[in-house]
Every structure is written in structure tokens, then in C-alpha cells.
Amino acid sequence: MDDYRGRIPSFDDLRLKTRVNGETRQDDTTANLIFRFPYLLRYISTFMELKPGDVIATGTPIGAGVRFDPPGF
């Protein structure tokens, strides 16, 4: 198993920015997650085994197309 410690200084303030056709749609950080990564890992691992490569979907920051008026995809 690879050791990723030290490659990312903190998971508590990672920036996520998405663009569609050059237009920024989302720009936020993991600091705004409701639950921090250690909590999510502890909780999820109580009912399933997590393996390297698993993806945990936590939702989406503001800017997703469904929230536009009118919605845009």
C-alpha cells in the first residue's frame, strides 16, 4: 500500500474548482464540508470495509447546474 502522508499537507482545506466551457461553476474547499474526513472514514468503516481506491461521495459545492435558475447542465 502506498504511503500518501506528506504529499498533501492537510485534507481540511483542499480546493475544488470546476469549469464548464471555461466558466467557473464551482469553487470551494473541503473546509466547508459538514463532516471532516476522519469522521467520515470512521463512520463509513463501521458498516463496510473501505479499500484503496474506494470513492466516498459527499455531495457537491454550490454551483451545480441544478441550482441555476433556470437549471443548466
Side-chain angles (χ1 to χ4, degrees), residues 37 41 44-45 48-57:
F37 288 116
L41 295 174
I44 294 169
S45 65
M48 67 178 291
E49 179 183 0
L50 291 171
K51 298 179 182 177
D54 283 349
V55 174
I56 299 171

Side-chain angles (χ1 to χ4, degrees), residues 4-6 12 17 20-21 36 38 41 45 57 60-61 63-64 66 71:
Y4 292 101
R5 289 175 293 180
D12 292 328
K17 186 182 280 194
V20 176
N21 297 325
R36 299 283 172 245
L41 295 174
S45 65
T60 183
V66 75

Side-chain angles (χ1 to χ4, degrees), residues 4-49:
Y4 292 101
R5 289 175 293 180
R7 295 185 190 178
I8 298 175
S10 172
F11 289 100
D12 292 328
D13 197 24
L14 298 174
R15 178 160 298 283
L16 170 72
K17 186 182 280 194
T18 61
R19 293 183 184 91
V20 176
N21 297 325
E23 176 188 348
T24 299
R25 294 283 180 97
Q26 296 171 306
D27 187 3
D28 208 348
T29 71
T30 55
N32 290 320
L33 284 170
I34 294 171
F35 301 106
R36 299 283 172 245
F37 288 116
Y39 173 83
L40 290 170
L41 295 174
R42 275 193 311 272
Y43 174 70
I44 294 169
S45 65
T46 64
F47 57 84
M48 67 178 291
E49 179 183 0

